[in-house]
Every structure is written in C-alpha cells, then in structure tokens.
Amino acid sequence: MAGHFHINTPLLESTGMSKRMGTTVYLKMENSQPSGSFKIRGIGHLCQKVLATQSKGVVCSSGGNAGMAAAYVARKMCVPATIIVPSSSPQLVVQRLQDQGATVRIVGKVWDDANTEALRLADVEGLTYVPPFDHPLLWEGHASMITEVACSLGQGVKPGAVVVSVGGGGLLCGVVQGLMSVGWVDVPVLAMETMGADCFNAAIKAGKVITLDDITSEAKCLGAKTVSEKAFEYSQSKELNIISELVTDQEALHAVEAFLDEERVLVEMACGAALASVYSGVINRIQKEGRLPLSLGPVVIIVCGGSSVDMQQLSLLRQKLQG
C-alpha cells in the first residue's frame, strides 16, 4: 500500500451496462477497497496528516462506511477507535466495526444525531474527530480515484460523464477536485440521490444549503440531512457541469439486484443510486432532454461500495420496498 491505506482499484468495462447505454460504461470498483468503500482514501489521507503518534484515539460518526474506514485506519495505526452510529444502522455494520477492533456506540436516529455525540466525545475525552465527508483533506484523498481513472483510460481518452452517489457530498467534492487536477473540468458529473435522502438536490432547488426534516429513504448511508457547503458551491459554479438527479428507493434496490446478477458484486443501496442512472434509464432521459450529448463518450460510474449490506439485509429491503 506504499505509505497509504487505500489500493488502486480496477476500472472494469461492463458489457451489460454498455449495451443498455449504447456507449462504453466503466466501473471504478471502490467496493474492493480494504474497508469496503471509497471512504478509505480520504479518511486514510486525513488520519496520516492529523493523527499524532500519541493520540488518545479517533472518534467518527457514521452510517457505516466512514466508520469502517476510520476503524481500519486506526487499527493499522495502532490507536483506539470509537465509532458512533445511528440506530438506523444494521446490526451487521456494528459487528463489522467491532471486528475491526472499534468501540461502537449507538446514538440517535440519524447520522446528524450521531455526529453531535462524536463532536462532544472529541471535546470531552480529547479524541481526534474524523469527519465522514466534510473536510478538505478527505476530498484531497478521494480525488486520487480520478487520477487512477485517467491512468487506466490512457492518454487522449476522456469520460463523457462521471456518475457518483451523493450523501453528504464528500465523494462529489473529491471527484470534482480530481477532475480539476487532470484537466477534465468540462466532464459532466451526474450526482445521484434517493428520494428521502436528497439534501444536495434540495439545496440546489432552494438555492442555498438547507437541512432536511428527516431521512425517509432506506439508503441510510446517503443519510445526511445537510450537504457540505463545498458540494453546494460546486453545484453553483459556471465552470462545472453538475447534474443532480433523484431515483426512488425501489429503483436503487432494482439496480443493486441487477448489478449483483450481471457483475456478481453486492453493493448497498447508497451505491445503487449511482447504478440506477443506467438501470433506470436516467442518463438516456437526460440525453433526450438535451442536457447530455446523444453521442456520449465513455461513462465512468464510481461503484462506491458499502459495508452495510449482506444477503439477509438485501432480503429485508426487498420485503420493505416490494411489499
């Protein structure tokens, strides 16, 4: 891993998705990171920069993936980790965090509640607070995936669009900064959310950052009630082309199931939101509306991964969403 905690993940061509799209679809397989998601890039980078050798430990609030990354990095750096998760997190997330050696506390109903407790603990117990999505060092770390995409595609090949799921906006900020660093500022970014966990889309509609009343989506890992200021700032930039789109929970779940069938990979519903851009025809619709060219270069989907899913959890989601 040469001085950092993440790995250079594969960029795989999906024949099934390419056939649906009528253009090549590449999958950036962040699900294959040691912690199960892209979060390890930013959190590993941040911890290396801010964590003193004599640290009392780290504390992180998380619906799952940021916590897994923080717990993994802390274990590798031999410091204690306390992860605060909301009650909406599946039991398997708690178990996986404990397997990484972390102390897990369940606080509140949604991530925002857990985050309040994490900040309190950092203050009271002198722990190093690891933010899950809203910090420049996180975005700097996440940007590395676009550098890898550029290397994998080779000189002279530029994506027609990059597709990301948006929760708090950390991945989006990292992708935008990555595009800037490789000279791809003009590449459109399709920012996907599920209805009921749509703080980014709501901010764009309101023309300012707003806080959702509640998270009603089953895509719990997209469950921040307020998007980061930086993500909103990017959405307003005249130099960037960020397209915000929503899908239903049912569409995200369908995408997870189709992806499992076609690619033999199980990801969580938060990741399903990005995959639904192809499986539910969102990109094709945007092309017909003239917001993306009909003749589109290769589409890169960030398969952000997810630690909060297994076959039992998938079965529970089916029961809830398909009645």
Side-chain angles (χ1 to χ4, degrees):
M1 291 188 193
H4 45 66
F5 299 101
H6 69 267
I7 62 168
N8 185 333
T9 55
L11 186 73
L12 305 179
E13 184 180 341
S14 168
T15 49
M17 293 175 104
S18 299
K19 193 176 164 187
R20 276 187 175 84
M21 279 292 305
T23 189
T24 309
V25 175
Y26 289 109
L27 306 168
K28 183 61 171 162
M29 301 297 280
E30 288 297 293
N31 60 296
S32 59
Q33 291 291 359
S35 69
S37 84
F38 75 95
K39 293 277 190 184
I40 191 77
R41 290 181 185 270
I43 285 175
H45 182 60
L46 179 138
C47 286
Q48 282 184 314
K49 295 279 188 186
V50 306
L51 209 55
T53 45
Q54 298 305 309
S55 171
K56 289 182 180 178
V58 300
V59 61
C60 180
S61 54
S62 170
N65 294 317
M68 281 298 294
Y72 176 87
V73 170
R75 181 167 64 80
K76 290 291 182 184
M77 294 181 81
C78 301
V79 297
T82 302
I83 313 298
I84 317 294
V85 300
S87 60
S88 55
S89 301
Q91 179 55 37
L92 79 117
V93 169
V94 174
Q95 186 59 55
R96 285 176 179 173
L97 288 167
Q98 289 169 339
D99 289 346
Q100 287 287 350
T103 299
V104 183
R105 297 190 192 179
I106 299 168
V107 177
K109 185 186 165 196
V110 294
W111 170 79
D112 303 71
D113 304 329
N115 193 48
T116 301
E117 174 63 8
L119 289 167
R120 188 190 73 80
L121 278 182
D123 188 41
V124 172
E125 297 185 13
L127 301 175
T128 302
Y129 172 69
V130 176
F133 59 82
D134 200 1
H135 196 285
L137 287 174
L138 297 179
W139 312 329
E140 205 173 88
H142 297 334
S144 60
M145 74 181 75
I146 298 299
T147 313
E148 290 171 19
V149 167
C151 288
S152 297
L153 288 178
Q155 206 166 1
V157 183
K158 188 158 79 168
V162 176
V163 185
V164 299
S165 293
V166 178
L171 175 58
L172 175 64
C173 290
V175 163
V176 167
Q177 291 184 9
L179 292 172
M180 289 172 171
S181 74
V182 299
W184 287 350
V185 178
D186 58 333
V187 171
V189 179
L190 181 53
M192 299 295 298
E193 296 172 283
T194 51
M195 295 171 189
D198 50 353
C199 60
F200 182 58
N201 187 267
I204 290 171
K205 283 178 180 164
K208 61 180 181 180
V209 172
I210 62 169
T211 300
L212 300 177
D213 293 335
D214 196 11
I215 302 298
T216 55
S217 169
E218 289 299 327
K220 301 300 182 192
C221 288
L222 294 182
K225 291 200 285 188
T226 314
V227 78
S228 78
E229 287 277 357
K230 182 54 99 176
F232 176 70
E233 198 181 296
Y234 282 145
S235 77
Q236 303 301 293
S237 166
K238 296 282 186 283
E239 291 171 17
L240 300 166
N241 182 8
I242 297 176
I243 302 167
S244 170
E245 286 289 329
L246 303 180
V247 289
T248 63
D249 274 1
Q250 286 81 0
E251 286 172 316
L253 178 61
H254 165 69
V256 167
E257 292 178 327
F259 195 67
L260 179 58
D261 283 343
E262 286 187 7
E263 307 296 335
R264 303 164 305 286
V265 174
L266 178 59
V267 293
E268 65 190 24
M269 271 182 54
C271 184
L275 300 173
S277 65
V278 172
Y279 288 121
S280 287
V282 176
I283 295 176
N284 289 145
R285 172 172 57 76
I286 293 170
Q287 287 176 290
K288 285 172 189 160
E289 291 168 358
R291 292 188 290 149
L292 278 176
L294 286 171
S295 177
L296 196 60
V299 173
V300 174
I301 300 178
I302 309 297
V303 182
C304 51
S307 53
S308 68
V309 67
D310 59 12
M311 291 308 290
Q312 186 183 0
Q313 187 65 20
L314 186 61
S315 180
L316 286 171
L317 287 167
R318 273 193 192 121
Q319 288 167 24
K320 268 187 182 177
L321 297 173
Q322 296 173 352

